[in-house]
Amino acid sequence: MNINIENYLRLNFTDMILILISTLLICLIAKKYFWHYVLEYLDNRKKLIQDELDNAKKSEQEAEEYKQKYAQQLKSAKAEANAILDKAREEANVQRDQIVEKAQLEAKMKLEKAQQDIETEVHHAKKQIQEEITEVAFMAAQKILEKEIDEETQKNYVEAFIKEEK
């Protein structure tokens, strides 16, 4: 079997004109009956693509606005957090100072009370010692002067003697 390629590739002027006329007729018929559908489809497609591009642009702008808004909110939240921390530190310092002042005041009051207690105890001890000295002196004087002076007079002499000693 021998295939002749020239039969397949032959170019004939008549065939070319017929093909050109048939193509032109098909285009004219398509333009007359179908072209407005094609243009309408292409216009709708163009409009749809343009709408999607516009929506994408709008979404991008909104996203940028939200980004800026949230960046600002984050910045203000950080500033607010720092302000809260500063206020808390300040309040803690004030409380610390109040606690220290209160502790110093309490220590001072306890020291004053202790001093008062000591003075009271010293006063009581002196009084007790005076009473004991008076009794001892009274007993000594009583033995010495048992028969010469009465008891009341002796006691007055001893108390006068102790008062002079002070």
Side-chain angles (χ1 to χ4, degrees), residues 52-68:
E52 287 179 3
L53 288 174
D54 292 343
N55 286 339
K57 226 179 230 185
K58 185 178 178 183
S59 295
E60 185 178 347
Q61 288 174 348
E62 288 176 356
E64 185 64 31
E65 288 173 7
Y66 283 129
K67 180 182 173 186
Q68 290 175 357

Side-chain angles (χ1 to χ4, degrees), residues 17-32:
I17 298 235
L18 285 175
I19 291 173
L20 187 61
I21 290 173
S22 67
T23 304
L24 187 61
L25 280 174
I26 290 173
C27 285
L28 288 175
I29 291 171
K31 185 176 180 186
K32 171 89 174 151

Side-chain angles (χ1 to χ4, degrees), residues 35-79:
W35 192 250
H36 69 283
Y37 292 120
V38 172
L39 289 178
E40 185 179 323
Y41 172 77
L42 290 176
D43 286 342
N44 287 340
R45 181 74 176 148
K46 183 179 176 182
K47 184 180 177 192
L48 180 68
I49 290 171
Q50 187 61 44
D51 287 345
E52 287 179 3
L53 288 174
D54 292 343
N55 286 339
K57 226 179 230 185
K58 185 178 178 183
S59 295
E60 185 178 347
Q61 288 174 348
E62 288 176 356
E64 185 64 31
E65 288 173 7
Y66 283 129
K67 180 182 173 186
Q68 290 175 357
K69 180 180 175 182
Y70 288 126
Q72 182 65 29
Q73 286 178 347
L74 180 62
K75 189 176 180 181
S76 83
K78 284 181 181 178

